[in-house]
Amino acid sequence: MKTILGYLRPHAPRVAVGVTVKFTAAVLELLLPLLLAHIIDGCVPAQDLPGVFQAGGLMLAMAFGAAFCNITANRMAAWVSMDMTRQLRRDLYERTLLLSQAQLDRFTVSSIVSRLTNDTYNVHQMFDKIQRGGIRAPMLVLGGLTLTFFQAPPLALVQLAVCSATFFAIWLVTRQGIPRYTRAQESVDTMVRILRENAAGVRVVKALACQERERDRFAAASRASREAEEAAGGIMAAANPLSDFLLNLGLVLVVLAGALLVDRGRLASGQIVAFLSYFALIQTATLGLAKLFVKYSKGVASARRIEEVLLAPEDQKVRPVGGGSLPGPELGMENASFSYLGVEKDLDGASFLLKKGQSLGILGPTGAGKTTLVSLLLRLYDADGGVVWVGGRDVATLGREALRGRFGAVFQNEALLNDSVYENISFLRDLSREAVTAAARTAQAWEFIEKLPGGLDARLDIRGANLSGGQRQRLLIARALAARPGILILDSADSALDYRTAAALHAAVRRDFPGVTLVVISERVASLREADRILVLEEGRLTAQGTHEELLETCGRYRRMAELQMGGLK
Amino acid sequence: MKKHVLTRLGRFLRPYGLPFLLLLVLLMAGNLLSLAAPLLSGRAMDAVGIRAGGVDFPGVFRNCAGMLGCYALSSLLNYVVSSRLIRTAQAVSHDLRKAAFDHMSELPVDYFDTHPAGDLISRVCYDVDTVNATLSTDLLQLGTSVFTVAGSFLMLLILSPRLTLVFLVTVPLSAALTRFQMKRIHPLFRLRSKELGALNGFAEERMGCRRSIRTYGVEEADLRLFDARNGAASQAYYDADRASAALGPSVNFINNISLTAVSVFGALLYLGGGLSLGSLSSFVLYSRKFSGPIREAANLLAELQASAAAAERVLDLLDEEPEAADPPEALLVKHLEGDIRFDRVTFGYDPARPVLRNFTAHIPAGSLAAVVGPTGAGKTTLVSLLLRFYRPQSGTITVDGIPLDTYSRDGLRRRLALVLQDTWLFGGTIAENIAYGAPGARREQIVEAAKAARIHRFISSLPQGYDTVLTGEVVSKGQKQLLAIARCLLTDADVVILDEATSNVDTETEGEISLAMEQLRQGRTCFVIAHRLATIRGADLILVLDQGGAAESGTHRELLAAGGVYAQLYAAQFQP
């Protein structure tokens, strides 16, 4: 909670003013009945007509003042909670941008989306409701308590004890409620996940005619959410009746204590009556408090979930550069190992070196660790052991800044944006239209972009759904090329391309990017054969490396692959 | 003009009408009890008396016990009402969410191409939650308020009908003022919900391309875009709040004015001899009873507005046009022969730019047909049409001589097994994912399928094996394709569609699973889209798509001999 409360600090003066204004409004509204009493008990019996009008006018002015103050205070509260939430949501989003891939995997994207949306909303509600409704009721209770202290201290002591018990009871209830709301929010994560899966996988779900199963799955998630909310709500529903009962119990105790004191002659019974009527008035103010407790516990539960992300430690430290070490290879690994789950090694002792401007091909069966290798080069993950070299330096000494702009990379399963073709290629880098066009040409994408209505400005559907698989892939390749990176990584970038287009693509990359250091992962030997060095990966291990010709000689697997694909022609 | 939101929401509230009513009765009972308590406290005070030593303790105790009982019972009732209300509201929310999702699953596929997932999430989570808050807590408060106000008003009418005239002016005045403001505010709340949905849509999309953002180092630019949307959403939120900030206080203001008017006119009436002092003071007392509940109720107005806007967004989703329902006479088949015929089919996602033009082809039952062609030639479109994701603009597609539209949509889809270009796994366990198209498959069958798809070894290497829950980056695209093939192997479909099913699988593995694929094809019509021509060579029929039509068709041998597009494509495979 501390971190979230920190967002209140810059607004402290505003909150203070807002609370004061709200306080003024409450005071004005409390004074109104006093004037009323003055008219009835003072002016009327005295037949004081001008007095009636005077008091009436004053009442009118106060009513106006109260309305004005309330509106102002509400607006100020709304502004403060809006601005705090805006800042909080921004910081949360910024933090998620800096999360490492491993952290992102752990939190899951669905949960992050849910925290960004639902949890920030809950925190917003909490701040707003407490500012608006959290002033009047406590103020009345505390104020009432103070006033009654002057009237009848012993009775006030009784009520003070009961009030403390009430606060304690509320604290207990809220404490029980918060973990239950945390669970409720977690169940929202599940719903978010299913919704995302169904939006992205709608074609498969429909093709398999499995809508019914998906509905059941969602219904189960929704039911779980309902149950979690009911459990939390069931606890929180006790807050109001419980505090109500305790305060009322106080009144009964006041009567009893009062009776004792009157009996001993230490108190006039009129004081008890005054005390009771005062407190009954105060109690009506607590009517809306129940909702406040709900918003509060829900808000705290959500705030903690947000803090979890905000306070996630930086797990990819940038190591200082060791002095005097010679520059390493442009790209390479030395005995690098990595495991996603910490059980089996997904990459096991990989070593290879690549000079600037050379090209690397990676071949291997499905799940051999090709993408893992590339992820380590990009520092999406940090190697568990060994060294990864990029641009002559240990990648562990390169921070985000240092890595920026070095790479162009095409990933598998990457989605296009619901934006223009230009923006999909330029990808937030504000590249010139010429650069984007040139990249599109190299990527063999220009021919179809040209034909789209609007060309570069044509708008893509979500995930680029209005393009074919091969067209989407070529846009991603153009994106990788557009900023003319020093190192280009194509991870199965030609899997959806026909052979002619793929061949044209590889030729164009060689032609237009002569000095680029190239890493190509492909299932197609044809796409790799030109590489200066080809790695053959099997179950996380580098089993062979060399040129196409060398591997044909030395590596049985490679030769088999080549023969299978080339139809035994070579 | 759309119907009022309450009318539209009616079908979700109606099933709970009785519980709501019951709760309202209990609520009144609770309120009556808490009104009775002050009566008892008065009696207790009488028992206390005014003399020292003269306190009637038994009387005090008796009445105090009564008070305690009243309070306890009223609190208990209160608890029951509010906790039951929470349950009822949750039941309504669950129904709403379920209805929204159920409807979503009936929407045509292109709905999801144009509506961001984040916005859908926002409707199903945030908007429903807003409605829920109103049902579970606001209604309770509103009920209490209405009850108190109505009771007090009745008392006023009895005390002095003439003074009540004041309310005849102020009540309609505040009603009109509220109505006027609500009209102005309503679009603002709609905008708020919409902007929040847009923000969520943006965040959801961007969370999905984190690797690219990181690789290109464009975090700052992305954050700036987020800022803009976050700013717009926050501003819309504030605008609605700001405009509605006056809602409660203005109602309250008029209430205070009427209080003033009552005192002044009351005083005048008394001075004119039209009212007794006692009546006046009671009248004023009851008018004061008004103000508390009215203030509480007025403060709810803004939230009711937010809920109405939120409910509308959920209901709008429910109004989206679903895929046309099966006609009652739709054909539900248990088995297809698999004779597929495309007859002069023309189709374009944008009708002005057809992808397929007068496409004609015949795939005999039990044959293996391969579709090749450059990317963007419409290969996947053929599959989409066969699956009835879209309807051709002209021409017909028949299966076993019967037009596609005649079949029950899901019935037809169940007879087709397919592995799509973009494989899809849901966040369940691996076993659940493999058995997805075949609920009730036994574990041995699942393992069998996984073995045939050459993915068993990988699965076994995972710590939880087949019970591993799929998240994050554990599974590569090639592995996903193998899982999809395993999934396909488990179904008993009659037509198999493989759209680039092994594009990310290495050749060797592909060779290894060819036996399984062979089995899969056995006695079934098979429709294969592939670039790797080695996989295509054995096809009975090769359709070469180019420029929206079938450029050529025939067997591998025939097409090579013809020396057309296919021959060129084939040659490209072996050129460096």
Side-chain angles (χ1 to χ4, degrees), chain A residues 61-83:
Chain A
M62 278 162 74
F64 185 77
F68 178 78
C69 285
N70 265 324
I71 293 174
T72 312
N74 283 355
R75 284 183 177 172
M76 286 177 83
W79 192 86
V80 167
S81 41
M82 177 275 281
D83 201 57

PDB file of all heavy atoms in Angstrom, chain A residues 61-83:
ATOM      1  N   ALA A  61     -28.768  31.326   1.774  1.00  0.00           N
ATOM      2  CA  ALA A  61     -27.359  31.562   1.446  1.00  0.00           C
ATOM      3  C   ALA A  61     -26.524  30.340   1.809  1.00  0.00           C
ATOM      4  O   ALA A  61     -25.625  29.936   1.072  1.00  0.00           O
ATOM      5  CB  ALA A  61     -26.858  32.788   2.190  1.00  0.00           C
ATOM      6  N   MET A  62     -26.842  29.764   2.976  1.00  0.00           N
ATOM      7  CA  MET A  62     -26.055  28.608   3.413  1.00  0.00           C
ATOM      8  C   MET A  62     -26.312  27.400   2.526  1.00  0.00           C
ATOM      9  O   MET A  62     -25.382  26.630   2.228  1.00  0.00           O
ATOM     10  CB  MET A  62     -26.375  28.285   4.865  1.00  0.00           C
ATOM     11  CG  MET A  62     -25.580  29.205   5.795  1.00  0.00           C
ATOM     12  SD  MET A  62     -26.267  29.253   7.435  1.00  0.00           S
ATOM     13  CE  MET A  62     -25.774  27.700   8.062  1.00  0.00           C
ATOM     14  N   ALA A  63     -27.565  27.254   2.107  1.00  0.00           N
ATOM     15  CA  ALA A  63     -27.878  26.133   1.210  1.00  0.00           C
ATOM     16  C   ALA A  63     -27.082  26.286  -0.073  1.00  0.00           C
ATOM     17  O   ALA A  63     -26.499  25.318  -0.599  1.00  0.00           O
ATOM     18  CB  ALA A  63     -29.374  26.093   0.900  1.00  0.00           C
ATOM     19  N   PHE A  64     -27.046  27.532  -0.546  1.00  0.00           N
ATOM     20  CA  PHE A  64     -26.297  27.800  -1.767  1.00  0.00           C
ATOM     21  C   PHE A  64     -24.807  27.507  -1.550  1.00  0.00           C
ATOM     22  O   PHE A  64     -24.157  26.853  -2.358  1.00  0.00           O
ATOM     23  CB  PHE A  64     -26.504  29.262  -2.169  1.00  0.00           C
ATOM     24  CG  PHE A  64     -25.865  29.591  -3.471  1.00  0.00           C
ATOM     25  CD1 PHE A  64     -26.463  29.191  -4.671  1.00  0.00           C
ATOM     26  CD2 PHE A  64     -24.666  30.278  -3.516  1.00  0.00           C
ATOM     27  CE1 PHE A  64     -25.872  29.484  -5.874  1.00  0.00           C
ATOM     28  CE2 PHE A  64     -24.057  30.562  -4.731  1.00  0.00           C
ATOM     29  CZ  PHE A  64     -24.660  30.171  -5.913  1.00  0.00           C
ATOM     30  N   GLY A  65     -24.311  27.998  -0.418  1.00  0.00           N
ATOM     31  CA  GLY A  65     -22.892  27.774  -0.087  1.00  0.00           C
ATOM     32  C   GLY A  65     -22.576  26.294   0.002  1.00  0.00           C
ATOM     33  O   GLY A  65     -21.549  25.840  -0.511  1.00  0.00           O
ATOM     34  N   ALA A  66     -23.467  25.546   0.627  1.00  0.00           N
ATOM     35  CA  ALA A  66     -23.231  24.104   0.792  1.00  0.00           C
ATOM     36  C   ALA A  66     -23.168  23.424  -0.571  1.00  0.00           C
ATOM     37  O   ALA A  66     -22.266  22.617  -0.843  1.00  0.00           O
ATOM     38  CB  ALA A  66     -24.326  23.482   1.648  1.00  0.00           C
ATOM     39  N   ALA A  67     -24.126  23.796  -1.436  1.00  0.00           N
ATOM     40  CA  ALA A  67     -24.139  23.186  -2.761  1.00  0.00           C
ATOM     41  C   ALA A  67     -22.851  23.521  -3.506  1.00  0.00           C
ATOM     42  O   ALA A  67     -22.202  22.657  -4.101  1.00  0.00           O
ATOM     43  CB  ALA A  67     -25.353  23.666  -3.559  1.00  0.00           C
ATOM     44  N   PHE A  68     -22.489  24.797  -3.430  1.00  0.00           N
ATOM     45  CA  PHE A  68     -21.282  25.240  -4.118  1.00  0.00           C
ATOM     46  C   PHE A  68     -20.058  24.481  -3.608  1.00  0.00           C
ATOM     47  O   PHE A  68     -19.244  23.959  -4.368  1.00  0.00           O
ATOM     48  CB  PHE A  68     -21.108  26.748  -3.912  1.00  0.00           C
ATOM     49  CG  PHE A  68     -19.866  27.286  -4.535  1.00  0.00           C
ATOM     50  CD1 PHE A  68     -19.808  27.505  -5.911  1.00  0.00           C
ATOM     51  CD2 PHE A  68     -18.746  27.555  -3.762  1.00  0.00           C
ATOM     52  CE1 PHE A  68     -18.651  27.990  -6.492  1.00  0.00           C
ATOM     53  CE2 PHE A  68     -17.580  28.031  -4.343  1.00  0.00           C
ATOM     54  CZ  PHE A  68     -17.538  28.257  -5.712  1.00  0.00           C
ATOM     55  N   CYS A  69     -19.924  24.411  -2.280  1.00  0.00           N
ATOM     56  CA  CYS A  69     -18.774  23.727  -1.676  1.00  0.00           C
ATOM     57  C   CYS A  69     -18.758  22.253  -2.055  1.00  0.00           C
ATOM     58  O   CYS A  69     -17.710  21.693  -2.377  1.00  0.00           O
ATOM     59  CB  CYS A  69     -18.816  23.847  -0.158  1.00  0.00           C
ATOM     60  SG  CYS A  69     -18.346  25.471   0.419  1.00  0.00           S
ATOM     61  N   ASN A  70     -19.943  21.634  -2.022  1.00  0.00           N
ATOM     62  CA  ASN A  70     -20.007  20.209  -2.338  1.00  0.00           C
ATOM     63  C   ASN A  70     -19.576  19.938  -3.769  1.00  0.00           C
ATOM     64  O   ASN A  70     -18.815  19.015  -4.035  1.00  0.00           O
ATOM     65  CB  ASN A  70     -21.424  19.682  -2.133  1.00  0.00           C
ATOM     66  CG  ASN A  70     -21.572  19.077  -0.747  1.00  0.00           C
ATOM     67  OD1 ASN A  70     -20.626  18.469  -0.240  1.00  0.00           O
ATOM     68  ND2 ASN A  70     -22.726  19.257  -0.150  1.00  0.00           N
ATOM     69  N   ILE A  71     -20.090  20.787  -4.667  1.00  0.00           N
ATOM     70  CA  ILE A  71     -19.749  20.584  -6.079  1.00  0.00           C
ATOM     71  C   ILE A  71     -18.246  20.753  -6.263  1.00  0.00           C
ATOM     72  O   ILE A  71     -17.565  19.931  -6.883  1.00  0.00           O
ATOM     73  CB  ILE A  71     -20.533  21.562  -6.978  1.00  0.00           C
ATOM     74  CG1 ILE A  71     -22.019  21.220  -6.936  1.00  0.00           C
ATOM     75  CG2 ILE A  71     -20.013  21.495  -8.415  1.00  0.00           C
ATOM     76  CD1 ILE A  71     -22.907  22.204  -7.665  1.00  0.00           C
ATOM     77  N   THR A  72     -17.713  21.832  -5.680  1.00  0.00           N
ATOM     78  CA  THR A  72     -16.272  22.089  -5.811  1.00  0.00           C
ATOM     79  C   THR A  72     -15.462  20.931  -5.246  1.00  0.00           C
ATOM     80  O   THR A  72     -14.518  20.442  -5.872  1.00  0.00           O
ATOM     81  CB  THR A  72     -15.902  23.385  -5.070  1.00  0.00           C
ATOM     82  OG1 THR A  72     -16.835  24.401  -5.462  1.00  0.00           O
ATOM     83  CG2 THR A  72     -14.496  23.824  -5.411  1.00  0.00           C
ATOM     84  N   ALA A  73     -15.861  20.512  -4.042  1.00  0.00           N
ATOM     85  CA  ALA A  73     -15.096  19.445  -3.392  1.00  0.00           C
ATOM     86  C   ALA A  73     -15.175  18.153  -4.198  1.00  0.00           C
ATOM     87  O   ALA A  73     -14.172  17.461  -4.379  1.00  0.00           O
ATOM     88  CB  ALA A  73     -15.620  19.217  -1.982  1.00  0.00           C
ATOM     89  N   ASN A  74     -16.366  17.845  -4.711  1.00  0.00           N
ATOM     90  CA  ASN A  74     -16.513  16.637  -5.516  1.00  0.00           C
ATOM     91  C   ASN A  74     -15.621  16.693  -6.742  1.00  0.00           C
ATOM     92  O   ASN A  74     -14.984  15.713  -7.113  1.00  0.00           O
ATOM     93  CB  ASN A  74     -17.969  16.464  -5.971  1.00  0.00           C
ATOM     94  CG  ASN A  74     -18.849  15.942  -4.857  1.00  0.00           C
ATOM     95  OD1 ASN A  74     -18.348  15.630  -3.773  1.00  0.00           O
ATOM     96  ND2 ASN A  74     -20.131  15.854  -5.113  1.00  0.00           N
ATOM     97  N   ARG A  75     -15.588  17.872  -7.359  1.00  0.00           N
ATOM     98  CA  ARG A  75     -14.773  18.006  -8.559  1.00  0.00           C
ATOM     99  C   ARG A  75     -13.300  17.869  -8.228  1.00  0.00           C
ATOM    100  O   ARG A  75     -12.538  17.242  -8.959  1.00  0.00           O
ATOM    101  CB  ARG A  75     -15.035  19.357  -9.223  1.00  0.00           C
ATOM    102  CG  ARG A  75     -16.341  19.327  -9.942  1.00  0.00           C
ATOM    103  CD  ARG A  75     -16.619  20.593 -10.673  1.00  0.00           C
ATOM    104  NE  ARG A  75     -17.884  20.423 -11.391  1.00  0.00           N
ATOM    105  CZ  ARG A  75     -18.514  21.388 -12.017  1.00  0.00           C
ATOM    106  NH1 ARG A  75     -18.014  22.603 -12.025  1.00  0.00           N
ATOM    107  NH2 ARG A  75     -19.642  21.143 -12.635  1.00  0.00           N
ATOM    108  N   MET A  76     -12.925  18.485  -7.116  1.00  0.00           N
ATOM    109  CA  MET A  76     -11.512  18.386  -6.743  1.00  0.00           C
ATOM    110  C   MET A  76     -11.146  16.938  -6.452  1.00  0.00           C
ATOM    111  O   MET A  76     -10.103  16.438  -6.875  1.00  0.00           O
ATOM    112  CB  MET A  76     -11.226  19.261  -5.527  1.00  0.00           C
ATOM    113  CG  MET A  76     -11.192  20.732  -5.872  1.00  0.00           C
ATOM    114  SD  MET A  76     -10.955  21.750  -4.422  1.00  0.00           S
ATOM    115  CE  MET A  76      -9.191  21.672  -4.260  1.00  0.00           C
ATOM    116  N   ALA A  77     -12.033  16.257  -5.747  1.00  0.00           N
ATOM    117  CA  ALA A  77     -11.768  14.841  -5.432  1.00  0.00           C
ATOM    118  C   ALA A  77     -11.683  14.025  -6.707  1.00  0.00           C
ATOM    119  O   ALA A  77     -10.778  13.197  -6.881  1.00  0.00           O
ATOM    120  CB  ALA A  77     -12.869  14.292  -4.533  1.00  0.00           C
ATOM    121  N   ALA A  78     -12.607  14.301  -7.629  1.00  0.00           N
ATOM    122  CA  ALA A  78     -12.607  13.557  -8.895  1.00  0.00           C
ATOM    123  C   ALA A  78     -11.316  13.821  -9.649  1.00  0.00           C
ATOM    124  O   ALA A  78     -10.719  12.912 -10.220  1.00  0.00           O
ATOM    125  CB  ALA A  78     -13.804  13.963  -9.746  1.00  0.00           C
ATOM    126  N   TRP A  79     -10.878  15.071  -9.618  1.00  0.00           N
ATOM    127  CA  TRP A  79      -9.653  15.405 -10.356  1.00  0.00           C
ATOM    128  C   TRP A  79      -8.447  14.707  -9.751  1.00  0.00           C
ATOM    129  O   TRP A  79      -7.642  14.111 -10.457  1.00  0.00           O
ATOM    130  CB  TRP A  79      -9.430  16.926 -10.372  1.00  0.00           C
ATOM    131  CG  TRP A  79      -8.372  17.288 -11.356  1.00  0.00           C
ATOM    132  CD1 TRP A  79      -8.552  17.515 -12.681  1.00  0.00           C
ATOM    133  CD2 TRP A  79      -6.964  17.397 -11.094  1.00  0.00           C
ATOM    134  NE1 TRP A  79      -7.343  17.763 -13.273  1.00  0.00           N
ATOM    135  CE2 TRP A  79      -6.355  17.698 -12.339  1.00  0.00           C
ATOM    136  CE3 TRP A  79      -6.172  17.263  -9.964  1.00  0.00           C
ATOM    137  CZ2 TRP A  79      -4.980  17.867 -12.466  1.00  0.00           C
ATOM    138  CZ3 TRP A  79      -4.813  17.430 -10.082  1.00  0.00           C
ATOM    139  CH2 TRP A  79      -4.223  17.738 -11.321  1.00  0.00           C
ATOM    140  N   VAL A  80      -8.361  14.792  -8.428  1.00  0.00           N
ATOM    141  CA  VAL A  80      -7.205  14.182  -7.759  1.00  0.00           C
ATOM    142  C   VAL A  80      -7.160  12.683  -8.021  1.00  0.00           C
ATOM    143  O   VAL A  80      -6.120  12.141  -8.418  1.00  0.00           O
ATOM    144  CB  VAL A  80      -7.249  14.467  -6.238  1.00  0.00           C
ATOM    145  CG1 VAL A  80      -6.251  13.586  -5.504  1.00  0.00           C
ATOM    146  CG2 VAL A  80      -6.945  15.929  -5.973  1.00  0.00           C
ATOM    147  N   SER A  81      -8.297  12.010  -7.853  1.00  0.00           N
ATOM    148  CA  SER A  81      -8.238  10.551  -8.042  1.00  0.00           C
ATOM    149  C   SER A  81      -7.993  10.207  -9.499  1.00  0.00           C
ATOM    150  O   SER A  81      -7.318   9.228  -9.805  1.00  0.00           O
ATOM    151  CB  SER A  81      -9.487   9.861  -7.502  1.00  0.00           C
ATOM    152  OG  SER A  81     -10.621  10.596  -7.808  1.00  0.00           O
ATOM    153  N   MET A  82      -8.525  11.039 -10.413  1.00  0.00           N
ATOM    154  CA  MET A  82      -8.255  10.800 -11.831  1.00  0.00           C
ATOM    155  C   MET A  82      -6.767  10.945 -12.103  1.00  0.00           C
ATOM    156  O   MET A  82      -6.153  10.091 -12.743  1.00  0.00           O
ATOM    157  CB  MET A  82      -9.049  11.808 -12.670  1.00  0.00           C
ATOM    158  CG  MET A  82      -8.807  11.737 -14.157  1.00  0.00           C
ATOM    159  SD  MET A  82      -7.363  12.678 -14.711  1.00  0.00           S
ATOM    160  CE  MET A  82      -8.027  14.338 -14.733  1.00  0.00           C
ATOM    161  N   ASP A  83      -6.188  12.028 -11.605  1.00  0.00           N
ATOM    162  CA  ASP A  83      -4.791  12.289 -11.929  1.00  0.00           C
ATOM    163  C   ASP A  83      -3.863  11.256 -11.295  1.00  0.00           C
ATOM    164  O   ASP A  83      -2.899  10.803 -11.904  1.00  0.00           O
ATOM    165  CB  ASP A  83      -4.400  13.698 -11.470  1.00  0.00           C
ATOM    166  CG  ASP A  83      -3.173  14.178 -12.208  1.00  0.00           C
ATOM    167  OD1 ASP A  83      -3.223  14.214 -13.455  1.00  0.00           O
ATOM    168  OD2 ASP A  83      -2.157  14.483 -11.549  1.00  0.00           O
TER     169      ASP A  83
END
